[in-house]
Amino acid sequence: MLLCSRSTIFAPFIAKPSPNLFSFFTRKTHLLSLFKNSPIRCNHNYFFGKPIKDSNSFGAHDLFVNKKAKFCNLAISGTSRRNEKAAGGNVMSLREKKKARREAPEGVLKFKLDKCSKCRDVVEGLRLYDEARENGVELNQHHYNVLLYLCSQNGGENVNDLRKQGYEIFQQMIIDKVPPNEATFTNAARLASAMEDPEMAFDLVKQMKSFGILPKLRSYGAPLFGFCKKEMADKAYEVDAHMIEYGVVAEEPELSALLKVSVGVNNADKVYELLHRLRTSVRHVTESTVAIIEDWFKSKHAAKTGKENWDVRKVKEGVARGGGGWHGQGWLGCGQWRVVRTQMDKEGVCGSCGERLACIDIDPRETENFAISLSKLALGREVKADFTRFQDWLQQHGPFDAVADGANLSLINQQTFSFSQLNAVVHRLHGMSPSKKLPLVILHKSRVTGGSAQNPCNKKMLERWKNSGALYVTPAGSNDDWYWLYAAVCCKCLLVTNDEMRDHLFQLLGTSFFPRWKEKHQVRLSVSQSGIALQMPPPYSIVIQESENGSWHVPTTTNDDLETPRQWLCATRPIKS
């Protein structure tokens, strides 16, 4: 007889449904005894995996469930099959089938619950749930996930009742044999964490693997932040290790929480590690994270941490190996830290300690790999023939010293598209060019076929750029962002645009190499009554830096105002001669 695995949380409910799932989350000892002693044949694979024969539980037939099958739509697809033929026996069109699904009880419930989710109306959501149960409406995965989300996100006076109801809905989902997905586990983990049980929240995340589900960054939020809130540093590190094992990259909120709990328990090695992880993946940090870093450097434990003597050769080798700006050899020096907020001058010299920041090198191979990955992304989202034609054109007419995002530059501080402003930028870049070559101007077809483009002067200017091989017009339906970014990366040249490149398209490029490339290549434009001004890339890297003598400089995030100086945290201590 097959016993339930201790890692399978759902089987006991199928074998012996509990009247209250709340007790499941608050009585883990009792739950483990259920796993150990249950005589019932139970295995989570009735959700996923191979066919299962079980005449006791399911009757004498095979229940085959493919991991990729979307069983959340069973109820809706059943309605669809019942209505595949309209009156008179005619097969329904695709449009009619969609309408039938929308108007089915399950479809109506989905629409209403989605509305509740948008407004975070948990009361109405729970009322709809009760009504659906009373009327025998079959709930699918999406219905349950929305309800779990509503219960996990809402607070207020009745918060405990809401969490309890959420657990009961979770239990009913399992009883109804509706397969969970990542959102199910994530919302269930949030429910556990809201009841201040991060241990159970983490257990839920760990059990995702047995259901063939990969956790996402959001899946780890409940246990990680829960453990950090309770100052359970070792458990928080365990969650972090689990994230790393599954290839989930922590972002600033997660790293900041880990940093805070590490500072709280005086774990100097972990603080050092997390500062370097912030340097790698976040680069410049928010005010709340800077405050945590500041607290560390001002602490007594930080003053006691560090090497009085170190191998200078190893430190220098570490700096050279990393391209500058860090060495990774541990805390250097000893004694009280001097911590101040300051600014860097145009050359990257600290206004407090006088140290010059490094300009961290980019490995040429990284640029080549980035160009390849960028090309693959563009070819997957643009008309392949169009983008391939552009690549061939660029190979023939390039390289360029600068690429101009024509649409962006023409609209800065302008109500309408300004060719004269774009021309002024092109003229300035031409004068700065080492090869005395015009910059490549990227414009969408719509910008050069109508409106002010038909003005004789503008038309003549566009024709001159085209004849010089300095204008590329992207075709109708294309996204010119792919074109100007790819051109700048391939030519290893300056990119002139005020686009901060933060939308979904640029998020596809990842958070490691792209910010470093952008920092070294993006030129921004400011427009005032006195004319245009180009803000060139800084001669130093805006990233957390660790110097050869053990000092630290931490840049803060800033808004898009080019005139606002960036603030830095400078942490130094006396150097013994």
Side-chain angles (χ1 to χ4, degrees), residues 88-160:
N90 295 325
V91 177
M92 297 174 67
S93 67
L94 181 61
R95 185 175 181 181
E96 289 170 328
K97 288 179 183 179
K98 287 183 177 179
K99 183 181 179 183
R101 285 196 293 268
R102 283 197 307 269
E103 294 178 351
E106 297 85 2
V108 173
L109 178 60
K110 177 184 182 301
F111 174 78
K112 291 182 177 179
L113 283 176
D114 286 347
K115 201 172 179 181
C116 291
S117 176
K118 189 175 181 180
C119 303
R120 292 198 177 188
D121 190 347
V122 65
V123 175
E124 177 62 11
L126 292 173
R127 189 196 69 76
L128 290 169
Y129 170 72
D130 291 337
E131 183 180 79
R133 301 291 305 172
E134 289 174 8
N135 294 334
V137 178
E138 291 185 69
L139 276 72
N140 59 42
Q141 187 187 79
H142 181 82
H143 297 140
Y144 277 115
N145 282 345
V146 172
L147 289 161
L148 290 172
Y149 168 78
L150 285 169
C151 291
S152 68
Q153 294 294 314
N154 281 272
E157 295 180 3
N158 301 320
V159 61
N160 288 334

Side-chain angles (χ1 to χ4, degrees), residues 33-54:
S33 68
L34 279 177
F35 289 149
K36 199 170 185 178
N37 303 318
S38 174
I40 305 298
R41 182 188 298 270
C42 54
N43 191 311
H44 68 260
N45 284 334
Y46 79 91
F47 281 144
F48 301 98
K50 298 179 179 179
I52 298 173
K53 282 188 177 180
D54 192 340

Side-chain angles (χ1 to χ4, degrees), residues 410-431:
S410 302
L411 290 167
I412 296 170
N413 287 12
Q414 300 293 331
Q415 297 294 324
T416 58
F417 197 91
S418 173
F419 275 104
S420 61
Q421 183 164 292
L422 176 58
N423 187 44
V425 175
V426 169
H427 181 73
R428 181 71 60 84
L429 291 169
H430 188 201

Side-chain angles (χ1 to χ4, degrees), residues 296-522:
W296 162 254
F297 282 115
K298 289 181 177 180
S299 69
K300 293 180 180 178
H301 193 78
K304 297 175 183 177
T305 302
K307 307 171 186 176
E308 285 195 54
N309 301 297
W310 60 87
D311 190 329
V312 175
R313 181 181 56 82
K314 282 187 176 180
V315 170
K316 288 185 179 294
E317 286 175 355
V319 171
R321 188 167 52 249
W326 68 283
H327 52 74
Q329 300 299 306
W331 300 108
L332 304 182
C334 59
Q336 193 72 37
W337 291 87
R338 179 174 179 268
V339 187
V340 296
R341 301 289 184 103
T342 186
Q343 295 171 6
M344 300 295 154
D345 68 12
K346 292 181 179 181
E347 299 303 317
V349 176
C350 177
S352 174
C353 68
E355 186 171 299
R356 183 186 293 274
L357 295 187
C359 183
I360 300 171
D361 295 336
I362 293 178
D363 188 331
R365 288 173 297 180
E366 286 186 287
T367 304
E368 291 173 12
N369 292 336
F370 183 54
I372 293 169
S373 63
L374 184 59
S375 175
K376 288 179 180 177
L377 283 169
L379 287 169
R381 285 158 179 79
E382 293 290 304
V383 176
K384 190 173 182 179
D386 290 341
F387 199 78
T388 302
R389 191 178 300 114
F390 170 65
Q391 290 177 304
D392 293 340
W393 182 95
L394 187 63
Q395 191 170 16
Q396 180 184 351
H397 292 85
F400 295 89
D401 294 324
V403 175
D405 174 8
N408 178 275
L409 299 174
S410 302
L411 290 167
I412 296 170
N413 287 12
Q414 300 293 331
Q415 297 294 324
T416 58
F417 197 91
S418 173
F419 275 104
S420 61
Q421 183 164 292
L422 176 58
N423 187 44
V425 175
V426 169
H427 181 73
R428 181 71 60 84
L429 291 169
H430 188 201
M432 295 166 53
S433 170
S435 64
K436 299 304 176 184
K437 190 174 182 178
L438 283 170
L440 171 59
V441 179
I442 304 287
L443 281 171
H444 192 271
K445 184 178 180 180
S446 61
R447 297 294 188 184
V448 299
T449 55
S452 57
Q454 296 305 308
N455 178 288
C457 291
N458 295 337
K459 204 169 183 178
K460 186 177 179 181
M461 178 183 66
L462 289 169
E463 194 65 30
R464 186 175 71 252
W465 292 348
K466 185 178 180 181
N467 293 336
S468 300
L471 172 67
Y472 192 87
V473 180
T474 61
S478 65
N479 184 341
D480 56 357
D481 291 3
W482 290 114
Y483 291 78
W484 49 253
L485 180 57
Y486 178 79
V489 173
C490 281
C491 295
K492 301 179 179 65
C493 67
L494 298 174
L495 171 62
V496 191
T497 180
N498 278 18
D499 191 324
E500 288 302 317
M501 294 176 266
R502 291 174 179 157
D503 62 18
H504 175 67
L505 181 154
F506 299 105
Q507 289 175 10
L508 296 171
L509 304 175
T511 57
S512 177
F513 177 79
F514 183 49
R516 288 185 284 136
W517 181 89
K518 188 172 71 165
E519 177 186 272
K520 284 182 170 293
H521 293 84
Q522 185 177 6

Side-chain angles (χ1 to χ4, degrees), residues 537-551:
Y540 59 95
S541 297
I542 304 173
V543 60
I544 296 173
Q545 296 203 20
E546 173 193 37
S547 73
E548 291 183 26
N549 60 22
S551 64

